Amino acid sequence: MALPVALAGTGYARALDLRHAVVVCSRNSSIAESNAVRMLVEEAEKRTAIRWPVSTVWPSNAGPVIAVGRRDALPDFAGPWTAALGAEGKAWAPEGYRLCVKHSPRSDAVFVIGNDSRGVLFGCGRLLRELWMERGRVTLDDHLDITTAPKYRLRGHQLGYRPKCNTYDAWDLPQWEQYIRDLAVFGCNAIELIPPRSDDASWSPLFPRPQMEMMTGMSRLADAYGLDVWIWYPAMDRDYSNPQTVASALREWGKVFSKLPRIDAVFVPGGDPGHTEPKVLLAFLEKQTQNLRRFHPKAQMWVSPQSFSRAWMGEFLEILRRQRPAWLSGVVYGPQVRMSLRRFRKLVPAQYPIRLYPDITHSRQCQYPVPNWDVAYAVTEARECINPRPRDQAAIFRNAAPYTIGFLTYSEGSNDDVNKALWSALGWNPKAKVIDILRQYSRYFIGPKYEDGFAQGLLALERDWRGPLLSNGQVHTTLLQFQAMEKAASPFDLRNWRFLQGLFRAYYDAYTQKRLIYETDLESQAMECLRNARPLGALNAIAQAEAILARATTERVNNDWRERIQQLGEALFQTIGMQLSVEKYKAIAVDRGAMLDTLDFPLNDRRWLEARFAKIRRLPSEADKLRALNEIVQWTNPGPGGFYDDLGNSAREPHLVRGPDFSQDPGGLESARSGFEEDLVFDNPNDTAGTPRRMSWIDHAETLYDFPLQMRYTDLDPNAPYELRVVYGGDSPRRKIRLVADGRIEIHPYLTKPRPFRRIEFPIPRAATRNGELTLSWFGEPGLGGNGRGCQVSELWLMKATRGH
């Protein structure tokens, strides 16, 4: 008899040894329940090399039993415990389960009792999370007794098989089944697919099979585990008021609907991509709903107002309020919705539930950018990097979820895997502690010996991204912690892609910080040469500065780290097809997760300085050259009594009015946030050489839609005239911007931001500073839709004027 014993290293004071367990299930199990049992047995075997036998009959021999089934079928699998467990029954809730250990003189039993078929699946998943599994060993806390059900009824993730994704386009159906299991273990009950035609290329060199065939297979897989299947279906045709366009779209979508074995809902974004007026879009979707239900009679239609202008948002809400379309099942709140979720919920009629579509995959130029991210990370790790953000994701979830029925997250690959697990677990239990979720993630996916170390490592990776990188003492410590785990890892561990992702980020963060320190010092040395330009001579000073700056291209700060990053990138491609380079691994674009391609992106102003030096060399006189070099040296100097801000750099923007913090306004709809855009700015469209940007032009502060960006100054000289010098940066050159002082004095009307970037100056009327204080407010063009960006400022000088205004 397998008596509970104290086992060292199991994490439990008293543990039940399950090496010789038998799994008992009902002979009348549904397909989904049978697959849940198969998942339990196979996933345990992968981690322990122990294969539990499965039976539909309670064993006669004394030994541990793992009994799995629905609550209403207890007599089929609970054996001698049927009556006792039935008497202990509590109120049933959909998808809930009871997971408990029972002891008797003859044998011990672990019960997974689902309230329904999904409850069986999620109960098996929770058992896998609770087990302590090592090679040749599997134990469980012998006092375990959990009764639970999910708080939110929708908990899912988008799994788009398309070229744009950083990993998914390399996966075939076995990998998809594994990942669907991995998601279900943490409580995911839905996946969202993408049709063959979307805002993407039609083919990837990594595709193992055509998109429609894969989409059908993924729908079948989800159905086999009893999970809901959604489709993210953008309406991208030019004119849905044209009957011929509508007829063509009905045929196209109908072909997709007819081939999928399961569809529970279709979600059509109002924009990004797509751009159709609400009344036309909703009329079209009413027809598509009828089309959908020809093949899937119970399927639902959902829509989002993404990218809508103020006028279109008003029209959309008015249609919902006045017409109350019965065919519409609900509304989705996702990126590029121009109002807070709290306000949105108030304005949408209560009959329409709201589903979240949160972007958990991007780190900048997105719905929830990393707060106060350093520009060095923004240009190297970039928009779609490996991004475990457990604390941030918990804050986003807790801010948004209460207004909704749940979520299907926006994902572009495996880079956000930790974030998926966080959302799934919090969707089940919003009160769960982040560290507890991460420990279960680490124990289950990485191994029990990493339970706390890897969990703490994930939190440390998030802290690596907090604030100025130059002074972040956490980064090297994080690498040392991961290196200790790496040194202790087995060859089996080193083939675990989740373990590899953590290592990759730890090395990458540390390498980037070391480069930043080195290149910052090189720039300081180069600037010293420029300060001595008069005795050295302008051209000699330039030559010396260039030679110093060029050392960054020939002297690697740590070749071992750099080589290890490359090795880990190769391992991630070989294990899961993660595309960390465009050239080597066929990523679709550098900003789509190709972190290896930006590993050595300059972290100082070398590119900008070299471009300036080339122009200065062409100046006619030594005096002109010296004057231009002095302008570089004095760039950030606002003069006596003046003030300088590098907006977007959290260490150098003391006058920025930030607004609510991330936990209160993670989407930045009512607060200022940092933004980035590192692309070259060309002097003219035909100038292929381009003009590189200063680092201070790559970052900027921004606000969204109609919310103003503000700077606040105090202790000004009330008797002095002031003038403003500003660089309008950002990634939205077509958006105009307006500046007002103290809420009433227009400094300039709406103007088009200069391209290429340059400094422009404006006088500040004496009336604005007469009381010794000044508030500057920038406004983007009112009422616009799209991503809401445009009110963006990179650099600002408030200087005492040389003459009065």
Side-chain angles (χ1 to χ4, degrees), residues 63-324:
V65 172
I66 301 173
V68 181
R70 294 191 321 274
R71 183 178 296 276
D72 62 2
L74 276 173
D76 292 346
F77 68 92
W81 293 95
T82 299
L85 290 169
E88 294 174 3
K90 300 180 181 179
W92 296 12
E95 302 188 7
Y97 58 83
R98 185 181 182 193
L99 176 59
C100 62
V101 176
K102 294 291 184 180
H103 303 291
S104 75
R106 180 170 176 76
S107 67
D108 301 297
V110 179
F111 287 94
V112 179
I113 306 169
N115 295 346
D116 48 28
S117 290
R118 280 191 181 168
V120 173
L121 174 67
F122 298 134
C124 288
R126 181 62 178 272
L127 176 56
L128 285 167
R129 286 156 58 190
E130 296 291 337
L131 290 170
W132 193 275
M133 293 182 283
E134 300 172 286
R135 291 284 163 170
R137 191 179 191 185
V138 55
T139 60
L140 183 68
D141 179 2
D142 79 326
H143 288 89
L144 188 70
D145 194 344
I146 298 170
T147 301
T148 182
K151 169 71 173 179
Y152 291 95
R153 73 179 196 235
L154 181 61
R155 307 172 307 282
H157 307 283
Q158 187 178 90
L159 304 178
Y161 179 72
R162 59 175 179 164
K164 189 179 291 184
C165 294
N166 58 55
T167 314
Y168 296 153
D169 53 333
W171 289 3
D172 209 343
L173 290 172
Q175 181 74 58
W176 280 118
E177 181 172 13
Q178 181 63 60
Y179 202 59
I180 287 170
R181 283 183 177 186
D182 293 349
L183 296 176
V185 163
F186 277 81
C188 167
N189 69 355
I191 65 170
E192 188 163 67
L193 308 179
I194 294 178
R197 187 165 79 96
S198 68
D199 59 332
D200 209 337
S202 60
W203 184 255
S204 163
L206 300 172
F207 274 174
R209 62 181 73 206
Q211 286 176 285
M212 193 67 246
E213 181 182 336
M214 185 67 79
M215 190 181 186
T216 302
M218 292 171 68
S219 172
R220 186 173 292 111
L221 277 174
D223 187 46
Y225 284 89
L227 304 184
D228 284 353
V229 175
W230 287 58
I231 302 177
W232 176 83
Y233 217 131
M236 299 189 302
D237 293 324
R238 184 179 297 275
D239 182 9
Y240 289 107
S241 65
N242 185 325
Q244 292 180 331
T245 301
V246 172
S248 175
L250 290 172
R251 289 191 297 271
E252 178 190 347
W253 293 30
K255 289 179 182 178
V256 174
F257 298 155
S258 69
K259 292 179 180 179
L260 267 61
R262 178 168 185 162
I263 301 175
D264 294 276
V266 172
F267 156 41
V268 179
D272 192 29
H275 191 74
T276 299
E277 187 178 357
K279 64 182 180 182
V280 176
L281 177 64
L282 292 176
F284 167 67
L285 294 186
E286 182 175 12
K287 293 182 174 67
Q288 283 290 16
T289 303
Q290 297 169 0
N291 192 27
L292 170 66
R293 289 173 180 166
R294 290 167 51 215
F295 308 100
H296 302 276
K298 296 182 180 180
Q300 300 179 346
M301 181 66 74
W302 293 61
V303 68
S304 75
Q306 288 171 250
S307 303
F308 282 3
S309 65
R310 184 166 59 196
W312 279 18
M313 179 65 84
E315 178 182 312
F316 173 75
L317 293 171
E318 187 68 10
I319 292 172
L320 295 190
R321 284 194 296 262
R322 289 185 176 275
Q323 298 181 18
R324 307 290 175 112

Side-chain angles (χ1 to χ4, degrees), residues 2-40:
L3 293 173
V5 293
L7 294 177
T10 63
Y12 306 124
R14 293 181 62 80
L16 181 64
D17 185 352
L18 295 174
R19 287 175 296 173
H20 306 293
V22 175
V23 176
V24 176
C25 59
S26 170
R27 63 172 51 89
N28 298 314
S29 296
S30 68
I31 293 175
E33 291 160 17
S34 297
N35 281 325
V37 171
R38 182 167 63 90
M39 176 184 78
L40 173 64

Side-chain angles (χ1 to χ4, degrees), residues 688-703:
T688 56
T691 303
R693 298 181 183 181
R694 289 177 54 87
M695 296 300 285
S696 57
W697 295 352
I698 291 173
D699 59 25
H700 56 263
E702 66 183 9
T703 52

Side-chain angles (χ1 to χ4, degrees), residues 621-635:
S621 69
E622 177 73 0
D624 290 336
K625 292 181 177 69
L626 291 173
R627 192 177 304 109
L629 291 177
N630 186 62
E631 182 184 67
I632 294 173
V633 170
Q634 300 293 330
W635 187 270

Side-chain angles (χ1 to χ4, degrees), residues 759-779:
R759 300 183 295 185
I760 52 179
E761 296 184 0
F762 303 96
I764 301 295
R766 295 286 291 272
T769 58
R770 190 169 288 127
N771 64 352
E773 297 182 356
L774 175 65
T775 298
L776 297 174
S777 301
W778 284 266
F779 298 87

Side-chain angles (χ1 to χ4, degrees), residues 674-728:
S674 297
F676 307 94
E677 173 65 12
E678 79 276 16
D679 293 342
L680 295 178
V681 177
F682 298 105
D683 289 336
N684 63 67
N686 299 316
D687 182 359
T688 56
T691 303
R693 298 181 183 181
R694 289 177 54 87
M695 296 300 285
S696 57
W697 295 352
I698 291 173
D699 59 25
H700 56 263
E702 66 183 9
T703 52
L704 302 179
Y705 300 107
D706 302 338
F707 196 80
L709 178 69
Q710 292 190 320
M711 302 283 285
R712 175 75 177 158
Y713 298 87
T714 59
D715 299 324
L716 300 180
D717 184 346
N719 298 313
Y722 286 87
E723 61 185 3
L724 187 72
R725 179 183 294 161
V726 62
V727 174
Y728 288 135

